[in-house]
Amino acid sequence: MTIHKVAYSAFVAFLASLLTLLSINALSSDEARDVADGERRITLDELAEHDTAEHCWKAIHGKVYDITDYVPDHPTPEAVILAWCGREATEAWENKRPGVPHSPGAEARLAPYLIGTLVDADGDEFATEAAVASAGEAPATADAEPLSPAADERLHRALLGLPLDGHYRGVFIDRGVIQVNITFDLRDGHFTRLEYRHLAYRNQDYQVLEEGDDLYPVLVQYRQILERLEGQPVSAIFALHEPERVVDDVDGFTGATLRGAKVISAIRDALNRGVYAWP
C-alpha cells in the first residue's frame, strides 16, 4: 500500500510539474507573440529615454518603433531624424513636406522596426489626438473646422511656384564639373545662413586661398555676394546680373558678372530641387 501511495504521489507531482511547464510555455509564447504583434506597452516616459542616435525610438500613430539601425541610412541630415527620437513623431511622419505624408514604401520600410504600443500613465492606448498634442500641436476637436485652402499660406506659395521656408542646397555645373555648391535657408522668403560648400574653377579650390594669393580677390567677390544676399528676399538674386550692386572692385575683376551668374544658377538649382530639410 505504501508503494502505491509513493507511486501515486510521484505521478501527481509529475502532472503538476508538466502543467506548470505548459503554463509557463504558453505565457512565454503569448508574450513573444505580443511583442511580435507590437503589443508591448510603452509609456511616454520610457519612450523619452530613447532619444539618441544609439537608442532612437519614435512613436507614430500610437505605435512605437526602434529605428536605431536605420538612422545612418536616413536620406536627410542626421539632425533632422534625431530631433524626433524619444518623441511622438506622428506630426513629422505626416508632413515629410508640408501636407505630404511619407509614402507607402516608407511605411513598408518602417514596419519591421515595430516594438510596441504607446500607452498613457494609466496603461490606455495613446490616442492620436493626444499624440499630436504631445508633439506641440493643439489637438483636433469635433467642433474645429479644417483649415480652409483659402487660409493655407504654404499651399498658396506652392501653387504660385514660390519657395517654401526650409534648408536648400544647389549647384552650378559646367562640363560635368561642379564649380559652385551653395547651401542656404529661407525664412519668410528671405535668405539666411548662406554658405559655399564648394567653390572652384579649373582645379583651383577658391576656399583654400589666403590673402595675398593672386586669385584671393575672386574669393572676396564670392563672399561679398553672400554677404549682400543675407537677409534679402529671394528676388534679390537678380541684382547679381549687375555686379556693381553686390561686389566691390568690379573694374579690377570684370568676371564678377560671370560669378554672379554662377551663384544665381546654383541658387535656382536649389529652389528647383525643393526643400532639402525642413526647419
Side-chain angles (χ1 to χ4, degrees):
M1 190 68 175
T2 303
I3 295 176
H4 290 300
K5 288 183 178 180
V6 171
Y8 177 76
S9 298
F11 178 71
V12 171
F14 171 76
L15 285 179
S17 299
L18 180 60
L19 289 173
T20 300
L21 288 173
L22 289 173
S23 298
I24 293 174
N25 183 64
L27 288 173
S28 299
S29 298
D30 288 342
E31 290 177 356
R33 185 165 54 253
D34 285 346
V35 172
D37 293 341
E39 293 303 323
R40 176 180 173 185
R41 319 295 274 182
I42 298 172
T43 64
L44 279 172
D45 289 340
E46 184 180 3
L47 175 66
E49 294 174 357
H50 301 271
D51 60 350
T52 67
E54 291 74 27
H55 297 281
C56 180
W57 292 10
K58 297 169 69 173
I60 299 172
H61 291 302
K63 298 298 182 182
V64 180
Y65 301 85
D66 180 355
I67 61 167
T68 305
D69 293 339
Y70 181 65
V71 169
D73 299 324
H74 196 265
T76 65
E78 188 173 89
V80 174
I81 194 169
L82 292 183
W84 293 95
C85 293
R87 297 177 56 190
E88 213 300 324
T90 300
E91 177 194 4
W93 182 261
E94 292 298 331
N95 290 277
K96 181 179 181 180
R97 297 189 298 277
V100 179
H102 280 71
S103 67
E107 291 183 7
R109 289 192 294 273
L110 178 67
Y113 298 103
L114 177 66
I115 60 171
T117 298
L118 189 64
V119 298
D120 59 24
D122 297 324
D124 297 324
E125 291 191 9
F126 208 64
T128 302
E129 290 80 6
V132 174
S134 74
E137 297 291 334
T141 65
D143 297 330
E145 294 185 3
L147 181 63
S148 166
D152 191 340
E153 184 177 351
R154 290 188 302 190
L155 176 61
H156 296 169
R157 297 186 66 85
L159 291 176
L160 293 173
L162 301 175
L164 299 172
D165 284 356
H167 180 68
Y168 290 80
R169 291 183 181 181
V171 297
F172 168 75
I173 301 176
D174 186 34
R175 299 180 182 180
V177 178
I178 296 177
Q179 295 187 15
V180 178
N181 187 335
I182 195 169
T183 177
F184 59 88
D185 287 354
L186 289 184
R187 295 291 183 271
D188 295 325
H190 288 65
F191 287 113
T192 182
R193 297 177 61 190
L194 293 118
E195 295 180 8
Y196 294 113
R197 302 181 71 238
H198 181 71
L199 200 58
Y201 181 66
R202 291 185 177 177
N203 298 320
Q204 173 62 63
D205 183 350
Y206 287 134
Q207 299 201 91
V208 302
L209 294 173
E210 297 180 354
E211 192 170 358
D213 291 337
D214 291 342
L215 293 176
Y216 184 76
V218 176
L219 175 60
V220 171
Q221 283 192 347
Y222 272 116
R223 288 174 173 171
Q224 287 175 349
I225 288 174
L226 297 195
E227 290 171 2
R228 307 292 167 81
L229 288 177
E230 186 74 23
Q232 296 298 311
V234 173
S235 58
I237 63 172
F238 297 107
L240 302 185
H241 289 298
E242 300 176 314
E244 65 274 10
R245 292 178 177 270
V246 290
V247 300
D248 302 326
D249 301 323
V250 174
D251 291 339
F253 289 88
T254 55
T257 301
L258 179 60
R259 289 165 202 132
K262 292 179 180 180
V263 174
I264 292 173
S265 180
I267 290 175
R268 297 195 67 169
D269 175 69
L271 297 175
N272 288 335
R273 290 171 184 263
V275 174
Y276 182 81
W278 297 110

